[in-house]
């Protein structure tokens, strides 16, 4: 499911040029590119096809960490293809392309590339169905030297950013190729299997095992598709506007359980507030999963996951506001390139400021000013560029805090009315797709003509050093 990607980087052009050269050398039809050409993650995604749906059908046994089953990918080719890549690290037993056995090479270089050669080349613009059968222990699998799969005492978690898919299903692993998902996972009766979207049903086909069927009906990025297996208290409720609201709390939360519930159970109320700021909540379901197994939180589509330590000091609605703001900024409108991470973290952090003001705590203006005032000009914080932090600093504090101050600086410059018009127009026009910082800048310039928006964002996002004017403008303080 690929929308138009505006703005093309030099590296992307180089990747395209390389592909063209390869296909000329091999004579058409050539192979699909092994990458989408994202400079931060050179192996991420692939070229030559566009996925519309993943049907993931697995069995997981926590006692052995064995994950087995099939993923069926429905795609359309965007060029003639002699072969193509998927991103996947597990051991593969067979690949069918349009019901015919294909030859394949699975993670041969340890870089998570599954290379598939169909029996006959695929025509351009043709529907294609790929069935990958596999069986492995994900916690033993390394891709580019590391593992993202988390094994727990009673289950496992597939939760990470920017890369997790390759440890549990084959995909075109880049936010520019979103798809809908069916995730069906069979686990022992003593544990549950959680994923995104709506719980369609649970079934029992063999004694001692339950199969959980989850469905996401709106375009979803591969890294935002999650799996949590283990002992959880699962609560199935409905939001005031009639959507499924599924929350799950790890059985081992102990003292954090009360604070976690007091926070995550407020999700519908928080989303109702965020909808007044950004436009309608973009998805068919809401929820949250709390676990002791990770030390961060992640905005998995419709159902963020929270590391329990987020609630160790008490309830934390602010964290819930951050992850749910990502449902708009990050999930519904995803990054076009990973260097665009400010569009996710700057806005999710700013949403925490808006929530704070909404509940009568510090105002957004005060919180943004605090970021500015609390860090002296020689603090290394000011050297990280929120607009292009580098892959190794993608989640640096500067992307979040300087990034949120940048959002407030924009608001100060264009005024409240145009500011919220920019946010809502961005959401409405990019819903279900991706965006780049350049697209956002152009939109802000269009809605606030005559304001030096581009220059302001250049200073806040792309210029090392502490900006001379604070986020409330040159006259404030
Ligand atoms: N997007 C997440 C958040 O800010 C951050 C994830 C960081 N990734 C990680 N593996 N720690 O909500
Ligand atoms: Zn975030």
């Amino acid at each position: 499911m690929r929308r138009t990607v505006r703005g093309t980087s030099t590296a992307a052009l180089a990747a395209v040029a390389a592909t063209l050269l390869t296909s000329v050398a091999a004579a058409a039809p050539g192979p699909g590119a092994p990458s989408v050409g994202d400079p931060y993650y050179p192996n991420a995604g692939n070229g030559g096809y566009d996925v519309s749906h993943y049907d993931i059908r697995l069995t997981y046994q926590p006692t052995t960490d064995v994950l087995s089953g099939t993923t069926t990918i429905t795609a359309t080719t965007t060029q003639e293809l002699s072969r193509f890549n998927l991103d996947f690290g597990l051991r593969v037993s067979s690949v069918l392309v349009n019901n015919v056995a294909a030859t394949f090479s699975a993670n041969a270089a340890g870089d998570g590339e599954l290379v598939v050669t169909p029996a006959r080349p695929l025509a351009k613009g043709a529907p294609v169905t790929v069935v990958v059968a596999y069986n492995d222990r994900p916690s033993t699998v390394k891709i580019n030297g590391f593992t993202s799969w988390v094994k727990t005492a009673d289950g496992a978690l597939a939760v990470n950013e920017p890369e997790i898919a390759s440890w549990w299903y084959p995909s075109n692993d880049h936010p520019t190729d979103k798809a809908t998902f069916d995730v069906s996972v069979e686990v022992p009766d003593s544990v549950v299997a959680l994923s995104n979207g709506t719980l369609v049903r649970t079934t029992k086909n063999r004694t001692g095992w339950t199969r959980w069927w989850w469905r996401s009906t709106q375009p979803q990025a591969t890294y935002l598709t999650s799996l949590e297996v283990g002992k959880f208290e699962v609560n199935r409720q409905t939001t005031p506007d009639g959507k499924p609201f599924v929350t799950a709390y790890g059985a081992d939360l102990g003292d954090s359980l009360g604070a976690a519930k007091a926070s995550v159970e407020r999700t519908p109320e928080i989303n109702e507030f965020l909808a007044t700021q950004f436009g309608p909540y973009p998805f068919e379901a809401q929820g949250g999963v709390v676990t002791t197994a990770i030390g961060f939180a992640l905005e998995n589509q419709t159902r963020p996951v929270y590391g329990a330590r987020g609630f160790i000091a008490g309830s934390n609605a602010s964290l819930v506001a951050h992850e749910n703001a990502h449902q708009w900024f990050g999930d519904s409108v995803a990054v076009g390139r990973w260097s665009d991470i400010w569009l996710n973290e700057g806005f999710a952090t700013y949403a925490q400021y808006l929530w704070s003001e909404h509940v009568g705590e510090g105002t957004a203006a005060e919180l943004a000013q605090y970021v500015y005032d609390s860090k002296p000009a020689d603090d290394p914080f000011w050297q990280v560029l929120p607009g292009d932090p580098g892959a190794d600093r993608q989640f640096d504090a500067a992307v979040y805090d300087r990034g949120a101050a940048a959002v407030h600086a924009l608001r100060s410059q264009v005024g409240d009315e145009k500011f919220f018009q920019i946010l809502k127009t961005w959401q409405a026009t990019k819903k279900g797709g991706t965006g780049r910082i350049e697209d956002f800048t152009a939109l802000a310039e269009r809605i606030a003509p005559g304001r030096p928006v581009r220059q302001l964002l250049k200073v806040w996002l792309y210029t090392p050093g502490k900006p001379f004017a604070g986020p409330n403008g040159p006259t404030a303080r």
Side-chain angles (χ1 to χ4, degrees):
M1 229 176 252
R2 192 163 295 174
R3 315 273 159 138
T4 350
V5 181
R6 276 177 227 107
T8 311
S9 73
T10 319
L13 286 174
V16 170
T19 313
L20 288 174
L21 288 174
T22 324
S23 36
V24 169
S35 160
V36 300
D38 188 322
Y40 279 26
Y41 301 99
N43 291 322
N46 307 287
Y49 61 93
D50 181 359
V51 178
S52 56
H53 188 72
Y54 293 92
D55 189 338
I56 302 171
R57 201 80 60 100
L58 304 172
T59 294
Y60 183 66
Q61 170 55 275
T63 56
T64 57
D65 190 38
V66 171
L67 182 71
S68 60
T70 60
T71 289
T72 301
I73 298 171
T74 309
T76 305
T77 58
T78 56
Q79 63 175 77
E80 280 194 285
L81 283 173
S82 58
R83 61 164 207 255
F84 60 89
N85 283 28
L86 290 162
D87 299 307
F88 197 47
L90 304 191
R91 191 172 52 228
V92 171
S93 52
S94 69
V95 180
L96 298 181
V97 177
N98 296 333
N99 286 315
V100 179
T103 57
F104 60 90
S105 145
N107 199 18
D111 57 357
E113 295 295 325
L114 169 60
V115 183
V116 177
T117 307
R120 290 192 298 147
L122 305 174
K124 178 181 177 176
V128 55
T129 303
V130 183
V131 183
V132 180
Y134 49 100
N135 183 318
D136 209 339
R137 287 183 295 139
S139 62
T140 67
V141 172
K142 283 191 165 42
I143 301 173
N144 299 320
F146 72 100
T147 186
S148 271
W149 177 267
V150 175
K151 180 74 191 81
T152 66
D154 53 20
L157 267 77
V159 172
N160 214 339
E161 179 183 12
E163 290 174 318
I164 184 58
S166 292
W167 281 270
W168 69 289
Y169 69 96
S171 75
N172 189 19
D173 192 16
H174 194 270
T176 46
D177 194 2
K178 295 184 183 181
T180 53
F181 282 79
D182 277 287
V183 175
S184 164
V185 181
E186 184 189 43
V187 291
D189 289 341
S190 55
V191 295
V192 304
L194 307 163
S195 187
N196 313 70
T198 303
L199 181 61
V200 179
R201 59 186 174 272
T202 58
T203 53
K204 289 186 67 63
N205 300 345
R206 51 183 179 134
T207 314
W209 293 76
T210 301
R211 180 169 286 281
W212 297 68
W213 302 78
W214 297 91
R215 177 170 293 161
S216 297
T217 58
Q218 296 179 61
Q220 181 166 292
T222 47
Y223 81 97
L224 295 168
T225 306
S226 55
L227 174 66
E228 297 98 356
V229 175
K231 294 187 200 296
F232 287 87
E233 172 195 325
V234 179
N235 304 301
R236 300 181 62 185
Q237 303 170 75
T238 306
T239 63
D241 58 345
K243 292 175 175 175
F245 174 49
V246 178
T247 56
Y249 302 93
D252 59 351
L253 287 189
D255 288 347
S256 310
L257 179 63
K261 277 193 178 175
S263 316
V264 177
E265 295 299 315
R266 293 183 74 179
T267 297
E269 173 200 352
I270 289 168
N271 280 329
E272 209 172 303
F273 165 70
L274 294 175
T276 67
Q277 310 292 294
F278 305 150
Y281 179 80
F283 300 120
E284 73 272 34
Q286 300 188 24
V289 177
V290 186
T291 170
T292 57
I294 54 171
F296 60 95
L298 185 68
E299 60 268 25
N300 296 318
Q301 188 160 309
T302 69
R303 193 154 298 117
V305 62
Y306 304 92
R309 79 174 63 159
F311 307 106
I312 211 149
S315 64
N316 190 354
S318 183
L319 178 61
V320 177
H322 181 105
E323 301 312 331
N324 281 285
H326 277 310
Q327 301 303 310
W328 286 261
F329 291 91
D331 296 10
S332 178
V333 186
V335 291
R337 285 290 178 268
W338 280 108
S339 56
D340 296 314
I341 192 70
W342 169 70
L343 291 172
N344 292 9
E345 302 306 344
F347 289 82
T349 305
Y350 194 68
Q352 294 179 268
Y353 299 1
L354 294 170
W355 173 257
S356 169
E357 182 165 338
H358 174 68
V359 297
E361 297 173 1
T363 65
E366 287 164 356
L367 293 168
Q369 191 67 37
Y370 179 78
V371 171
Y372 188 76
D373 292 343
S374 63
K375 306 250 194 295
D378 61 357
D379 193 312
F381 172 87
W382 297 110
Q383 297 307 313
V384 177
L385 306 181
D388 192 7
D392 51 343
R393 292 207 160 73
Q394 215 184 321
F395 302 108
D396 192 278
V399 176
Y400 290 69
D401 301 336
R402 180 176 175 168
V407 174
H408 193 75
L410 173 68
R411 179 177 175 179
S412 301
Q413 191 185 69
V414 303
D416 282 8
E417 195 184 323
K418 287 197 185 312
F419 173 73
F420 287 105
Q421 193 190 337
I422 292 167
L423 301 194
K424 286 178 175 161
T425 306
W426 178 250
Q427 286 300 320
T429 57
K430 298 282 188 182
K431 182 177 159 71
T434 58
R436 304 217 52 192
I437 294 176
E438 171 53 33
D439 304 332
F440 183 84
T441 307
L443 174 69
E445 280 187 313
R446 185 163 68 70
I447 291 182
R451 303 296 185 116
V453 164
R454 182 171 294 274
Q455 177 57 24
L456 178 96
L457 292 179
K458 189 178 169 200
V459 168
W460 276 92
L461 302 180
Y462 296 106
T463 309
K466 186 170 178 171
F468 287 114
N472 287 291
T475 52
R477 301 242 185 143

